[in-house]
Amino acid sequence: MKTRNAHTIIAIAWKGVTRKLFRNLVLMLAVALLVALLTFAMLFNKAVEDDIESASKRLGADIVIVPVEAKGSAEEFILESKVKSFYMDKFVFDDISELPDIKQATYHIYLNTLSSGCCSIDEGQVIVFDQDKDFVIAPWLEVGPKRLEPGQVYVGSYVNEYLGLINTASLFGKGVKVVGHLKQTSTGLDHGVFMRMDDLSKISPEATGGYKPGKISIIFIKVKDGVLPSKVVAEIRKVNPTVGVMTRGDIGADVRNTLKDILRVFSITILISSLLALLLAWSTFTVLANERRREVGILRAIGAHQIHIMKIFLAEALLISGMGGIAGVVMGHSLIHYLGKDFTLLRTLGAVSTFTAGNITIGLIAMGVGIAICLIGAAIPILRLARMEPLLAIKDA
């Protein structure tokens, strides 16, 4: 019986929705835009936070050390794969790696250019690493020998994808043989060409640009189990207070601050959109209530209760907002999928618009907010209409 009543209410509500289709489509569009904006904002925030978190974890280091003036450049390379080169003295590594709470330490040297016999790989970064101390590159090796021999290199996933463009690979005028490639890490490593430390001595200083012997670019540190990274950071600052130190949580701090500013703008826009949707729902159902007073009066006269009237009109609001909410979720996912191509941080995050538990939850939350806004706006005129005396409603109609 309850199911039949529900079907009857929905059928009546659907007829009401289609009766003034254009007007209801305007309200539906307002809800859709609100839900789309909310979906986009939440997906954007989730994507950037996940990207920063995953990028810092994938490096395998608890602490990263760079020249203090190069912290921004290091983050750009780690998070956005932008080619960078910066240097500090190697004795910084020698001093810090001896600290008792450090489990492992390694370093990389970033060189300026990658050239080939026919062309260059766009946004490729030459990375010199110490195979004996490495724990950053080896875990990501997908194809190739575990150790490089003289003249051999690994390449990142991005470089490997475009390796077919090269006829004769060479680095700084020296022929090299690509023997392996890394899995996709969604970090700057994807754009790397990795050469042995021993091969660096075979390259002339003129060919390596600003690099000078005895310099390194970045230090990666793993702390011992049970030791807080903050404790090791304090020890590092005692040994050398002039270097730039970043923990996993620090990586992407500037991006997070920028993200907060962006989210403030989103919040204001969403608030304004919510108020407009609320007012539009109120005005739409106020007009609807005035137009259908006679109809309601007749229904009340033949035995319909206030609760029945409210259910019918709230069902109309629910249908309108529900359809708008579904359209809004689709629009929000489509928007971030399209705009993600223009954000370097999001280019590798195709999953931001896929069916994952987190993304479905975001869609449901955004839909819930849109539906709630519409129902709140419609509630007052609906309640006033349902409370009218039947004879008065028929007489005044």
Side-chain angles (χ1 to χ4, degrees), residues 23-24 27 278-293 296 313 316-317 374 376-385 388:
R23 185 175 65 197
N24 292 331
L27 177 57
L278 184 71
L279 290 172
L280 186 58
W282 176 81
S283 63
T284 297
F285 278 86
T286 296
V287 173
L288 180 148
N290 291 332
E291 290 175 347
R292 296 168 66 178
R293 291 172 70 179
V296 171
F313 287 97
E316 286 191 31
C374 185
I376 291 170
I380 295 175
I382 290 173
L383 183 61
R384 187 173 66 247
L385 180 63
M388 290 189 67

Side-chain angles (χ1 to χ4, degrees), residues 95-104 221-225 227 231-232 235-236 239:
D95 293 341
I96 291 173
S97 61
E98 298 299 324
L99 291 173
D101 290 321
I102 290 179
K103 181 179 181 179
Q104 283 181 279
I221 293 174
K222 274 187 179 180
V223 303
K224 290 183 177 178
D225 296 340
V227 177
K231 180 175 182 289
V232 179
E235 294 171 354
I236 291 171
V239 173

Side-chain angles (χ1 to χ4, degrees), residues 109-144:
I109 300 171
Y110 297 156
L111 301 181
N112 284 329
T113 60
L114 166 64
S115 61
S116 68
C118 65
C119 53
S120 64
I121 297 176
D122 182 38
E123 299 179 354
Q125 176 78 68
V126 179
I127 300 174
V128 184
F129 73 107
D130 187 336
Q131 294 190 98
D132 296 326
K133 296 182 172 67
D134 172 63
F135 61 85
V136 175
I137 297 169
W140 293 101
L141 186 62
E142 184 172 45
V143 175

Side-chain angles (χ1 to χ4, degrees), residues 46-64 74-81 110 136 140 184-190 218 220 246-253 255-256 344-346 348-349:
K46 177 177 176 289
V48 175
E49 288 288 354
D50 287 351
D51 192 32
I52 294 172
E53 183 68 19
S54 62
S56 58
K57 285 182 178 179
R58 287 170 182 173
L59 293 172
D62 300 304
I63 300 171
V64 176
E75 287 188 351
E76 286 182 349
F77 175 69
I78 292 170
L79 298 176
E80 303 179 54
S81 303
Y110 297 156
V136 175
W140 293 101
Q184 183 176 346
T185 67
S186 299
T187 70
L189 298 182
D190 294 339
I218 189 168
F220 300 98
M246 297 183 291
T247 63
R248 281 185 182 176
D250 295 332
I251 294 175
V255 176
R256 286 190 174 98
T344 306
L345 276 173
L346 302 183
T348 57
L349 295 179

Side-chain angles (χ1 to χ4, degrees), residues 148-153 169 171 174-179 195-196 198-199 202:
L148 294 174
E149 298 298 328
Q152 295 180 343
V153 298
L171 288 177
K174 300 287 183 179
V176 294
K177 183 178 181 181
V178 177
V179 295
M195 62 180 291
R196 304 183 327 141
D198 294 340
D199 287 340
K202 302 174 185 178

